[in-house]
């Protein structure tokens, strides 16, 4: 196993949480030290896709580490240089917008800001219904940022949801390995 420490942050795209957990298991199989992080929305919201408590307990079981779920708990990631790579999977349109605008008002955006100050890679796995609408500008902005990489993504349902984008979560580990090498996994845009 690799001795690097990976952060794995989950935002509130609740319909993708099962896929995110599968990706987290793959990440944990490649790296021994994985620190789970959830947004406050994810930590506080039970949905038809599952309970917040169950999700966080499963993340803790996989990682053998307590979940970071507050701004205060995420802030030391920067000064203590806790992570070699931070993965946000799934990353909602809301979080994409905040990252693009430099807004730090959640545990996940604080983790990203704190991590990026150390000039280390951030890997984003978008999952948003407005990826080809309002969030498109934010994705474009983040594509130009140093140390920001994306898990390849594409339209998940062009007929019923023509502006919706989702990453291929099965590519999280290869995208993470590429980001650690300072490169974007290609192709970035997938045909679903």
């Amino acid at each position: 196993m690799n001795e690097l420490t990976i952060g794995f942050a989950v935002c509130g795209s609740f319909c993708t949480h099962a896929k995110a957990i599968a990706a987290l298991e793959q990440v944990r199989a490649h790296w021994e030290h994985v620190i789970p992080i959830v947004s406050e929305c994810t930590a506080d919201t039970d949905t038809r896709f599952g309970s917040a408590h169950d999700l966080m307990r499963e993340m803790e079981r996989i990682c053998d580490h307590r979940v970071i779920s507050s701004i205060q708990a995420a802030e030391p990631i920067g000064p203590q240089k806790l992570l070699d790579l931070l993965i946000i999977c799934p990353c909602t349109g809301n979080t994409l917008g905040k990252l693009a605008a430099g807004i730090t008002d959640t545990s996940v955006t604080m983790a990203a800001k704190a991590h990026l100050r150390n000039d280390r890679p951030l890997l984003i796995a978008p999952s948003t219904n407005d990826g080809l609408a309002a969030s498109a500008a934010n994705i474009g902005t983040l594509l130009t940022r140093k140390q920001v990489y994306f898990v390849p993504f594409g339209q998940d349902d062009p007929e019923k949801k023509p502006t919706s984008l989702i990453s291929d979560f099965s590519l999280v580990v290869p995208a993470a390995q590429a980001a650690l090498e300072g490169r974007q996994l290609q192709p970035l845009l997938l045909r679903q």
Side-chain angles (χ1 to χ4, degrees):
M1 286 215 190
N2 199 310
E3 291 298 317
L4 300 177
T5 299
I6 310 298
F8 194 99
V10 173
C11 295
S13 176
F14 301 102
C15 62
T16 63
H17 282 178
K19 290 179 183 179
I21 289 297
L24 175 58
E25 288 177 331
Q26 293 172 1
V27 167
R28 182 64 168 84
H30 282 79
W31 291 282
E32 185 174 351
H33 306 289
V34 180
I35 298 175
I37 304 163
V38 297
S39 66
E40 288 84 349
C41 177
T42 300
D44 295 337
T45 307
D46 295 334
T47 72
R48 64 186 170 104
F49 301 103
S51 77
H53 175 80
D54 290 346
L55 176 73
M56 290 191 298
R57 294 302 73 80
E58 181 66 2
M59 292 178 73
E60 289 178 349
R61 181 196 66 77
I62 293 167
C63 298
D64 194 27
H65 193 286
R66 282 194 58 81
V67 170
I68 293 174
S69 60
S70 70
I71 291 172
Q72 295 83 355
E75 191 276 333
I77 287 171
Q80 294 177 15
K81 298 184 179 180
L82 295 180
L83 306 177
D84 295 290
L85 169 70
L86 174 60
I87 301 167
I88 304 177
C89 176
C91 185
T92 61
N94 187 49
T95 299
L96 285 167
K98 290 178 180 190
L99 292 171
I103 297 170
T104 309
D105 64 352
T106 70
S107 51
V108 173
T109 55
M110 174 55 79
K113 174 186 175 182
H115 174 70
L116 285 169
R117 74 181 247 183
N118 295 320
D119 199 28
R120 294 179 179 176
L122 170 66
L123 178 64
I124 298 171
S127 177
T128 177
N129 286 327
D130 72 345
L132 293 176
S135 288
N138 298 322
I139 291 170
T141 296
L142 291 167
L143 282 169
T144 66
R145 297 265 172 89
K146 183 180 175 189
Q147 293 288 19
V148 176
Y149 303 92
F150 282 82
V151 176
F153 55 84
Q155 290 179 278
D156 56 316
D157 190 349
E159 294 299 317
K160 294 180 184 168
K161 301 188 302 182
T163 64
S164 183
L165 293 177
I166 188 168
S167 287
D168 181 344
F169 288 12
S170 71
L171 296 176
V172 169
V173 168
Q177 291 170 326
L180 286 165
E181 295 168 6
R183 61 183 178 84
Q184 172 63 54
L185 184 65
Q186 296 292 340
L188 175 60
L189 300 178
L190 302 176
R191 297 178 81 180
Q192 304 265 355

